[in-house]
């Protein structure tokens, strides 16, 4: 039976991890003592929801968590350290500390160990998140006990809203570019000067016109998008920043 551990200390567990081709033991005391920690736990590395949404969004919102007093973000899963390390390399996870709960001891201690034998998974973690201050659970968001793999409350946005409903979330910025384009270089420089962490998508000349025409209705590069809004060219971006 799943239970809420708010007000209780996290289980005392030693995790066996592989780092720089060497074995290393990490304790819950090392992970939690004297720190404000956000934890999200999920059924398994490389699984669809975990890879497409759960982990990437925590990584994406990590700067906002850090700005609001969080020291570390932990991802816990009942997987061995080799699987967790490979998953980290496969994902955008540079802001996340992967915690391999291979034996399920931490998850069992949280009363979050569930049987997923029908999927061939064996014992795995139920999906949940929690805020832990100096080893004591302040808040838990546990997914409802219903069939399947519900993902309604343990997401990064819900946790950040709990910490600070007015927290500034990182902007989503994409720049479609072409190789050797001076206007593209100017747009990227403008964004960098304003502190935007952007993703550049260089387009081959064989597909550039079709792609840009489809996403922006314009055929020239660069095309800049911020939080889903089409800003346009480098000139358009410069005009926006001059307001």
């Amino acid at each position: 039976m799943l239970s809420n551990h708010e007000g209780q200390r996290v289980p005392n567990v030693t995790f066996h991890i592989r780092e720089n081709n060497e074995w290393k033991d990490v304790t819950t005391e090392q992970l939690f003592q004297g720190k404000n920690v956000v934890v999200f736990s999920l059924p398994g590395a490389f699984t669809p929801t975990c890879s497409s949404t759960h982990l990437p969004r925590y990584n994406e919102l990590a700067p906002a968590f850090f700005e609001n007093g969080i020291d570390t973000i932990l991802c816990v899963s009942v997987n061995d350290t080799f699987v967790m390390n490979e998953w980290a390399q496969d994902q955008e996870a540079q802001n996340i500390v992967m915690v391999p709960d291979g034996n399920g001891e931490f998850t069992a201690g949280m009363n979050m160990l569930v049987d997923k034998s029908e999927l061939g998974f064996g014992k795995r973690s139920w999906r949940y998140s929690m805020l832990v201050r100096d080893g004591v659970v302040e808040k838990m968001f546990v997914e409802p006990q219903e069939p399947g793999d519900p993902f309604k409350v343990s997401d990064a946005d819900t946790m950040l809203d709990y910490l600070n409903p007015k927290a500034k979330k990182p902007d989503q910025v994409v720049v479609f570019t072409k190789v050797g384009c001076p206007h593209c270089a100017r747009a990227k420089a403008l964004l960098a000067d304003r502190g935007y962490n952007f993703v550049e998508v260089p387009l081959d000349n064989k597909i550039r016109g079709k792609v840009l025409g489809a996403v922006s209705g314009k055929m020239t590069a660069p095309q800049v998008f911020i939080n889903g809004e089409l800003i346009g060219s480098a000139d358009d971006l410069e005009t926006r920043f001059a307001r």
Side-chain angles (χ1 to χ4, degrees):
M1 186 68 178
L2 306 180
S3 62
N4 192 308
H5 274 226
E6 290 177 6
Q8 302 177 37
R9 298 197 65 82
V10 296
N12 185 17
V13 172
T14 298
F15 302 99
H16 308 293
I17 69 172
R18 190 75 172 171
E19 190 175 272
N20 298 322
N21 291 320
E22 294 183 354
W23 286 103
K24 178 181 177 182
D25 286 346
V26 176
T27 65
T28 45
E29 182 178 0
Q30 291 171 297
L31 292 173
F32 293 99
Q33 186 174 25
K35 300 176 183 178
N36 297 317
V37 181
V38 164
V39 180
F40 65 101
S41 190
L42 35 80
F46 293 102
T47 52
T49 301
C50 306
S51 296
S52 65
T53 309
H54 209 174
L55 173 62
R57 187 58 172 167
Y58 271 100
N59 185 71
E60 184 180 318
L61 292 184
F65 280 112
F66 299 149
E67 288 173 5
N68 284 274
I70 297 303
D71 298 299
T72 314
I73 303 173
L74 307 181
C75 174
V76 178
S77 182
V78 183
N79 290 110
D80 64 69
T81 185
F82 293 100
V83 170
M84 293 295 276
N85 288 348
E86 286 299 316
W87 192 36
Q89 292 182 22
D90 183 69
Q91 292 284 308
E92 295 178 18
Q94 65 271 24
N95 297 309
I96 308 298
V97 175
M98 296 298 212
V99 180
D101 187 25
N103 294 326
E105 295 173 80
F106 182 86
T107 304
M110 291 296 302
N111 286 336
M112 288 292 154
L113 197 64
V114 295
D115 189 353
K116 289 187 173 286
S117 297
E118 76 281 2
L119 299 176
F121 280 22
K123 300 291 186 179
R124 292 296 179 101
S125 176
W126 191 250
R127 197 183 296 275
Y128 70 96
S129 65
M130 61 181 176
L131 172 62
V132 183
R133 298 191 190 275
D134 194 20
V136 177
V137 179
E138 176 182 310
K139 180 66 177 178
M140 287 189 72
F141 293 99
V142 182
E143 294 297 338
Q145 297 182 57
E146 56 189 46
D149 179 23
F151 180 48
K152 300 175 179 178
V153 298
S154 63
D155 58 285
D157 292 87
T158 297
M159 178 60 76
L160 184 59
D161 288 343
Y162 169 77
L163 272 171
N164 179 6
K166 297 181 179 179
K168 176 68 169 68
K169 297 178 181 180
D171 291 298
Q172 303 285 318
V173 184
V174 174
V175 186
F176 290 95
T177 65
K178 66 179 181 180
V179 177
C181 165
H183 300 293
C184 301
R186 182 159 62 92
K188 291 186 290 181
L190 286 167
L191 290 166
D193 288 345
R194 290 296 183 103
Y196 283 95
N197 183 17
F198 60 87
V199 174
E200 179 181 2
V201 182
L203 298 174
D204 182 88
N205 60 1
K206 295 179 181 179
I207 62 170
R208 185 170 58 248
K210 290 183 179 180
V211 171
L212 292 179
V215 300
S216 70
K218 300 180 180 180
M219 309 293 286
T220 58
Q223 292 297 317
V224 180
F225 288 80
I226 299 179
N227 297 327
E229 177 188 356
L230 171 62
I231 307 303
S233 66
D235 289 339
D236 295 327
L237 184 63
E238 195 168 49
T239 298
R240 179 188 178 96
F241 286 162
R243 292 173 184 167

